[in-house]
Amino acid sequence: MNPTVRDFLLFTILVVCSKCDNFENELGHITPQADAQTQQQAVLDLINRTIPLRSAEFSVEIQSNLTRQGKDTFAIKEQSGIVHITASSGVAAATGFQYYLKYYCNAHISWEASQLNLPDVLPHVDVEITFNDRFRYYQNVCTASYSFVWWDWNQWEKHIDWMALNSFNLVLAFNGQEAIWEKVYKKLNLTEDDINEHFTGPAFLSWLRMGNIRGWGGPLSKAWHDRSIYLQKRILQRMRSLGIITVLPAFAGHLPRAFKRIYPSVNMTKMARWNDFNDTYCCPYFLDPTEDLFQVIGKMFLDEQTAEFGTDHVYNCDSFNEVDPSTGDLTYLSNVGKSIYSAMTATDPDAIWLMQGWLFYYSDFWTTTERVKSFITSIPLGKMIILDLQSEEFPQYDRLEQYFGQPYIWCMLHDFGGTLGMFGSANKVNENVIKARQEADSTMIGTGLSPEGINQNYVIYDFMTESAWRNEPANLTEWFASYTIRRYGRSDDYIIKAWQILKDSVYNFNGIEKIRGRYAITNTPSLKQNTWTWYEYSDLFDAWDLFIEAADNLGSNPAFLHDLVDITRQVLQVNGDIYYNKLITSFKTKNKDEFQDVATIFMNIFTDLELILSTNKDFLLGPWIESAKACGNDTEEKELYEYNARNQITLWGPLGEIINYANKQWSGVVSHYFQPRWQIFIQNMNSSLETDTKFNESSVRRQMFTEVEEPFTFDKSTFPTEPTGNTVELAKEIHSRWHLSKSSRRSERASGEYVEDVYYFKHYFKENPSIILLN
Ligand SMILES: *[C@@H]1O[C@H](CO)[C@@H](O)[C@H](O)[C@H]1NC(C)=O
Ligand SMILES: *[C@@H]1O[C@H](CO)[C@@H](O)[C@H](O)[C@H]1NC(C)=O
Ligand SMILES: *[C@@H]1O[C@H](CO)[C@@H](O)[C@H](O)[C@H]1NC(C)=O
Ligand SMILES: *[C@@H]1O[C@H](CO)[C@@H](O)[C@H](O)[C@H]1NC(C)=O
Ligand SMILES: *[C@@H]1O[C@H](CO)[C@@H](O)[C@H](O)[C@H]1NC(C)=O
Ligand SMILES: *[C@@H]1O[C@H](CO)[C@@H](O)[C@H](O)[C@H]1NC(C)=O
Ligand SMILES: *[C@@H]1O[C@H](CO)[C@@H](O)[C@H](O)[C@H]1NC(C)=O
Ligand SMILES: *[C@@H]1O[C@H](CO)[C@@H](O)[C@H](O)[C@H]1NC(C)=O
Ligand SMILES: *[C@@H]1O[C@H](CO)[C@@H](O)[C@H](O)[C@H]1NC(C)=O
């Protein structure tokens, strides 16, 4: 081809279609900064931490030129008993390592338990994989508060290993930012008091950062800042050595109230009220991004942060998360976008703006797509990355026409508030990630996990993570079966069958309801709850039967024990929904006898739930509280952090502003919070029935607040940090109480309603009075 024609074509391709080359021009510089040697050593150390006794059988080599169109690649080859991993980055090598463990050795690494019994002779392998996309993103801005807030280095180290093993190469690193802000505020003449009334406590920092609240649960001490800077530096150093690109925050416009005093003539507006937080705790100022001062503060913050932490050139910035701009004027929105971005490039000309796309789904303001277009295309295409934050439920990439040319990442959010409850959309994840990537003019450049909280439903995260390299839909039947073999370390027919049922029920959610961990037992007691599931209860009970059948075979496996607790918890949670409805019906129809029976059964759900949860370390309140206290440097601080920890998972605000949002089905929470609340409610229902007086729900609501909810947050009693009791024995015992006879289940299926179970329980509990622990 004639060189001029070729150059012209090349030019055309690059200019007209920057996404055709995977945004190489715009994002090509977003690569690991550690050299090959450093990444190689970091992966060898990771392997040694993972399998200390077998690590000598692995070798690692990093060749950054192995990437294909900016996409990481790894090759694994066994020769003479040594498994050689060659990869384009540390993350790619770590992923290759896990890929081999997973698919060749049937091993399993998860948040709660790992199964690493490798064959004596490592299986032969010769495979090369290029990832589907440039990026694998991890975290939600809320994960820092719901899951990581009290972590020490040991927990971080383990989790960073998990990130690398699972291919995440673009990860938020949010510790220490308040320490940076404090320096900036002081330079701008804010007093200690100004700063103290602004910073929230540790458990609420995510929402301070988004401008939703201020001061609640605060202030932060020097000891906290020192600790978080120390952690941040260690975290960044480790992530970067593995080749992870760390994402640091940039200035989004939210400022302490004191700024109005210092800059009276600058245009700043109070943020809108968020979730009923009153003026003491809500509404910091929002500095209009088009003000000159925005550039000044934005640059000061990034300069200060870069000096302390360095940079990998990607900055998270969410100015309008659950808060709307003051006007929909298109020119204004475009200017806002430009200003925010130029405050980044003033410090870092290579800056890339990473934004959560949650606002485009959340707020009606952005229903007008022209507004979205003006806002996001004010940044050069490719210099902004949008996280399509809950793609498994509310994808925005089609509505917003591939974000009008801006690259985006397909994220599975899945969990809100770190609440428990088995659910997932395996089908949607399986199909839709691949479809999105293949759409015409797709600007998808990555996949990600964006849960608000972790430590639930590992199976669905494991499955989604594989979207990084899976390029056609998996056979879910086979995938779920092999998942059980890896997770439990052996093949068991009962458990394979159990997980097939779970796959087709709890993990087969295809709707678009908002699932928020709210069930009859976790919600605030009320006469007006709506219970709902998308699967047949009897399917869950069938799966539970099979777990019990498998318990003798698998009972020594920690992941099985975790899952046995979890499914028993789920069954009790579902029974909570079932008996809640019976309770309300018997109350409304004034059927006193039935009310007594159902109330007894309902309260026993909590007793059994507490019992099973207390047998496993992953379901205890104690570690959450103790790790919070451990972050405090003195008694006063320990008390404040304990209060933070207790409040976040219950009232979430002084008066229950978003009560139950981050509820936890943990031993200790059930016995000291969920159960006593319901006890009060039921006692009031009972006396209303007995005395034939009107039930005053708002007065009962008040009683629960003053007698249970608020006292729980101020309480100082300690809870076990170690499990008690034998999971398998107790699960069997609880199973014997709660499993329904096959025949009554049949009748439930036919008529759509439970017919015989109340009868069954009535007799069961009457014959076994010792287990009735109503008081
Ligand atoms: C693994 O770690 C142990 C303990 O830190 C160390 O003694 C050993 O040399 C390491 N092995 C390899 C192969 O790096
Ligand atoms: C990639 O780099 C390695 C050295 O790190 C070199 O041996 C190899 O030839 C390079 N491959 C290509 C295709 O440039
Ligand atoms: C902060 O105070 C100093 C000393 O009073 C003053 O010189 C400076 O202008 C003030 N800075 C700001 C941003 O108000
Ligand atoms: C931590 O507490 C000790 C003793 O209470 C005190 O001397 C020290 O200054 C505190 N450290 C910080 C950073 O506040
Ligand atoms: C906000 O609520 C807190 C806690 O209930 C209370 O102490 C404070 O006075 C309230 N502030 C306003 C402005 O109402
Ligand atoms: C202040 O900024 C808002 C946008 O945030 C704008 O609507 C308003 O007109 C501005 N006011 C002044 C006085 O500039
Ligand atoms: C999935 O795998 C199962 C078991 O191997 C097989 O029976 C089934 O036909 C497969 N489904 C599809 C759609 O390929
Ligand atoms: C309801 O009140 C009656 C009479 O005081 C009492 O016997 C019964 O145990 C109570 N039932 C419940 C569920 O509280
Ligand atoms: C319900 O109780 C509240 C006090 O908690 C009282 O103000 C209200 O009047 C009562 N409502 C009825 C209908 O009795």
Side-chain angles (χ1 to χ4, degrees):
M1 199 187 294
N2 167 332
T4 7
V5 172
R6 197 197 56 203
D7 287 352
F8 173 76
L9 282 178
L10 208 61
F11 177 82
T12 312
I13 287 166
L14 289 179
V15 171
V16 174
C17 177
S18 60
K19 59 190 178 272
C20 293
D21 70 341
N22 197 21
F23 294 97
E24 190 59 37
N25 283 346
E26 294 78 10
L27 296 171
H29 64 294
I30 304 300
T31 52
Q33 294 186 9
D35 60 27
Q37 197 60 39
T38 306
Q39 292 183 63
Q40 177 185 319
Q41 190 55 49
V43 177
L44 286 172
D45 292 345
L46 180 159
I47 292 174
N48 198 12
R49 280 191 294 278
T50 310
I51 43 164
L53 302 177
R54 305 293 295 269
S55 58
E57 294 167 58
F58 290 82
S59 87
V60 173
E61 190 183 345
I62 307 297
Q63 292 180 10
S64 58
N65 62 5
L66 267 188
T67 51
R68 312 248 185 275
Q69 293 174 306
K71 297 171 186 176
D72 277 321
T73 299
F74 61 80
I76 325 169
K77 200 176 171 102
E78 182 271 338
Q79 270 174 327
S80 323
I82 301 290
V83 175
H84 301 276
I85 304 171
T86 313
S88 55
S89 72
V91 172
T95 308
F97 171 61
Q98 195 197 215
Y99 189 94
Y100 179 72
L101 294 184
K102 206 171 172 178
Y103 304 125
Y104 290 79
C105 304
N106 272 324
H108 177 78
I109 297 168
S110 79
W111 296 324
E112 51 271 350
S114 297
Q115 187 284 106
L116 289 161
N117 296 321
L118 306 188
D120 291 341
V121 176
L122 289 180
H124 183 68
V125 57
D126 188 356
V127 65
E128 179 174 319
I129 305 275
T130 295
F131 289 97
N132 289 323
D133 313 293
R134 185 184 284 273
F135 294 115
R136 281 83 55 198
Y137 169 80
Y138 177 53
Q139 280 183 40
N140 182 296
V141 294
C142 300
T143 332
S145 292
Y146 285 135
S147 293
F148 309 151
V149 51
W150 314 118
W151 280 6
D152 61 17
W153 169 247
N154 288 333
Q155 285 158 298
W156 273 108
E157 176 169 66
K158 196 161 168 260
H159 201 59
I160 295 168
D161 284 353
W162 175 86
M163 295 176 202
L165 289 163
N166 285 283
S167 83
F168 297 103
N169 68 343
L170 184 66
V171 177
L172 297 185
F174 267 16
N175 279 289
Q177 60 179 283
E178 284 71 33
I180 306 294
W181 274 118
E182 187 172 67
K183 287 187 195 179
V184 172
Y185 294 154
K186 283 188 170 158
K187 281 191 179 167
L188 293 170
N189 293 350
L190 269 73
T191 66
E192 202 82 35
D193 286 347
D194 293 338
I195 296 172
N196 284 346
E197 71 152 35
H198 182 66
F199 285 151
T200 64
F204 305 101
L205 289 174
S206 295
W207 302 276
L208 168 80
R209 292 166 184 169
M210 292 185 278
N212 303 132
I213 53 172
R214 65 196 179 96
W216 174 240
L220 298 175
S221 67
K222 178 172 183 318
W224 175 268
H225 290 313
D226 290 351
R227 179 182 184 279
S228 58
I229 292 231
Y230 159 81
L231 268 181
Q232 174 77 343
K233 287 188 170 167
R234 248 184 126 165
I235 289 165
L236 289 171
Q237 192 267 335
R238 176 60 60 78
M239 284 184 177
R240 286 173 179 155
S241 73
L242 285 161
I244 293 174
I245 291 139
T246 65
V247 181
L248 301 179
F251 180 46
H254 314 117
L255 288 173
R257 289 273 178 99
F259 268 83
K260 193 73 195 164
R261 185 185 75 232
I262 299 174
Y263 298 97
S265 59
V266 172
N267 188 1
M268 46 185 109
T269 46
K270 268 192 198 167
M271 299 281 290
R273 209 163 144 173
W274 182 79
N275 279 318
D276 291 339
F277 275 85
N278 76 13
D279 195 62
T280 307
Y281 300 117
C282 86
C283 319
Y285 274 109
F286 179 65
L287 173 61
D288 195 287
T290 58
E291 289 284 339
D292 293 342
L293 185 62
F294 191 97
Q295 302 298 317
V296 175
I297 298 175
K299 181 159 175 25
M300 278 177 84
F301 174 73
L302 272 199
D303 284 344
E304 207 63 68
Q305 176 173 265
T306 308
E308 194 76 46
F309 300 143
T311 183
D312 294 345
H313 310 297
V314 184
Y315 303 95
N316 166 260
C317 184
D318 295 309
S319 294
F320 303 114
N321 195 68
E322 305 195 2
V323 195
D324 294 336
S326 57
T327 155
D329 179 75
L330 299 185
T331 313
Y332 171 75
L333 291 173
S334 166
N335 288 338
V336 165
K338 285 194 180 107
S339 301
I340 295 171
Y341 184 59
S342 79
M344 294 178 201
T345 50
T347 298
D348 183 354
D350 291 330
I352 301 293
W353 175 2
L354 179 101
M355 188 175 79
Q356 294 200 145
W358 184 245
L359 70 173
F360 302 138
Y361 154 70
Y362 181 86
S363 167
D364 291 342
F365 178 90
W366 302 101
T367 314
T368 312
T369 55
E370 281 305 308
R371 291 179 178 171
V372 181
K373 187 172 183 180
S374 292
F375 182 47
I376 66 178
T377 60
S378 64
I379 320 305
L381 293 187
K383 293 295 181 186
M384 172 182 246
I385 298 172
I386 293 164
L387 303 173
D388 194 88
L389 208 66
Q390 196 181 11
S391 312
E392 85 281 16
E393 288 275 308
F394 305 109
Q396 300 295 304
Y397 44 81
D398 287 331
R399 178 176 81 87
L400 299 174
E401 299 173 32
Q402 304 294 322
Y403 290 102
F404 307 104
Q406 290 290 22
Y408 79 91
I409 294 179
W410 199 108
C411 296
M412 183 184 84
L413 192 152
H414 191 260
D415 181 81
F416 290 85
T419 51
L420 275 66
M422 292 174 112
F423 78 97
S425 301
N427 271 317
K428 284 207 263 181
V429 167
N430 198 23
E431 305 284 337
N432 295 355
V433 179
I434 293 165
K435 274 190 203 146
R437 192 183 285 119
Q438 289 169 348
E439 280 178 10
D441 297 325
S442 173
T443 57
M444 178 175 154
I445 55 162
T447 46
L449 298 181
S450 52
E452 285 192 351
I454 61 167
N455 295 323
Q456 31 71 38
N457 294 300
Y458 189 77
V459 63
I460 209 77
Y461 296 94
D462 193 353
F463 183 70
M464 171 62 202
T465 297
E466 295 182 353
S467 305
W469 55 87
R470 190 168 45 226
N471 43 31
E472 55 186 48
N475 180 322
L476 289 174
T477 306
E478 289 175 358
W479 193 89
F480 272 77
S482 61
Y483 176 82
T484 70
I485 295 169
R486 292 194 295 267
R487 187 162 168 90
Y488 308 133
R490 65 177 78 165
S491 182
D492 177 286
D493 288 346
Y494 292 120
I495 207 71
I496 288 176
K497 215 166 149 194
W499 276 93
Q500 293 300 327
I501 297 173
L502 294 178
K503 161 180 75 75
D504 294 328
S505 55
V506 290
Y507 292 115
N508 182 30
F509 175 56
N510 281 315
I512 50 166
E513 298 290 329
K514 295 174 185 168
I515 296 178
R516 299 285 191 277
R518 292 178 183 227
Y519 310 102
I521 54 168
T522 59
N523 252 335
T524 305
S526 150
L527 296 180
K528 302 188 260 304
Q529 287 181 21
N530 289 316
T531 59
W532 167 84
T533 56
W534 60 96
Y535 54 90
E536 297 262 4
Y537 295 143
S538 54
D539 286 342
L540 176 69
F541 301 153
D542 285 342
W544 190 38
D545 291 350
L546 291 161
F547 264 78
I548 297 292
E549 298 272 13
D552 290 333
N553 186 25
L554 301 177
S556 61
N557 175 284
F560 175 80
L561 293 174
H562 171 98
D563 294 347
L564 181 58
V565 171
D566 199 35
I567 193 168
T568 306
R569 181 203 56 66
Q570 183 77 12
V571 166
L572 291 168
Q573 169 196 302
V574 157
N575 272 298
D577 287 355
I578 295 170
Y579 285 94
Y580 167 80
N581 288 312
K582 294 182 188 303
L583 190 71
I584 300 304
T585 306
S586 61
F587 177 73
K588 286 189 174 158
T589 57
K590 304 196 175 177
N591 186 338
K592 286 190 201 174
D593 284 348
E594 192 172 289
F595 179 81
Q596 300 305 325
D597 291 336
V598 175
T600 306
I601 295 167
F602 188 76
M603 292 311 292
N604 270 284
I605 291 174
F606 295 98
T607 309
D608 278 346
L609 186 56
E610 175 68 24
L611 211 56
I612 195 69
L613 296 175
S614 68
T615 67
N616 190 284
K617 66 176 171 43
D618 302 326
F619 298 88
L620 303 182
L621 171 62
W624 173 250
I625 292 180
E626 292 309 315
S627 61
K629 287 198 261 184
C631 294
N633 185 47
D634 55 35
T635 312
E636 200 185 331
E637 221 169 271
K638 284 178 191 298
E639 288 183 355
L640 181 64
Y641 296 168
E642 175 167 9
Y643 178 72
N644 268 254
R646 286 169 172 266
N647 181 273
Q648 188 212 67
I649 61 172
T650 54
L651 287 177
W652 213 132
L655 301 172
E657 278 73 0
I658 43 174
I659 188 169
N660 307 323
Y661 180 84
N663 75 77
K664 299 291 176 302
Q665 293 184 49
W666 286 343
S667 159
V669 183
V670 172
S671 59
H672 285 65
Y673 188 77
F674 296 138
Q675 188 170 27
R677 278 201 314 194
W678 264 110
Q679 179 117 7
I680 289 174
F681 198 82
I682 284 179
Q683 274 166 357
N684 279 282
M685 288 168 102
N686 191 36
S687 55
S688 157
L689 274 185
E690 295 285 327
T691 60
D692 200 18
T693 48
K694 205 166 167 10
F695 183 78
N696 186 335
E697 185 154 345
S698 62
S699 113
V700 178
R701 178 79 206 79
R702 185 82 219 141
Q703 191 190 348
M704 291 187 293
F705 180 81
T706 53
E707 291 179 18
V708 178
E709 292 166 351
E710 195 177 50
F712 178 89
T713 66
F714 290 120
D715 187 26
K716 297 276 183 302
S717 43
T718 56
F719 290 88
T721 53
E722 293 297 327
T724 45
N726 181 304
T727 301
V728 169
E729 279 171 21
L730 283 166
K732 284 183 177 172
E733 193 184 311
I734 292 169
H735 183 259
S736 74
R737 279 201 275 283
W738 290 97
H739 90 281
L740 309 173
S741 73
K742 296 276 176 195
S743 61
S744 77
R745 256 190 263 168
R746 289 291 111 75
S747 64
E748 175 254 329
R749 270 192 167 147
S751 66
E753 215 199 325
Y754 287 78
V755 187
E756 290 167 51
D757 50 352
V758 169
Y759 173 82
Y760 170 79
F761 283 120
K762 190 167 150 181
H763 288 272
Y764 186 87
F765 286 107
K766 283 206 170 135
E767 284 156 22
N768 299 272
S770 62
I771 59 149
I772 299 184
L773 301 167
L774 203 53
N775 293 304

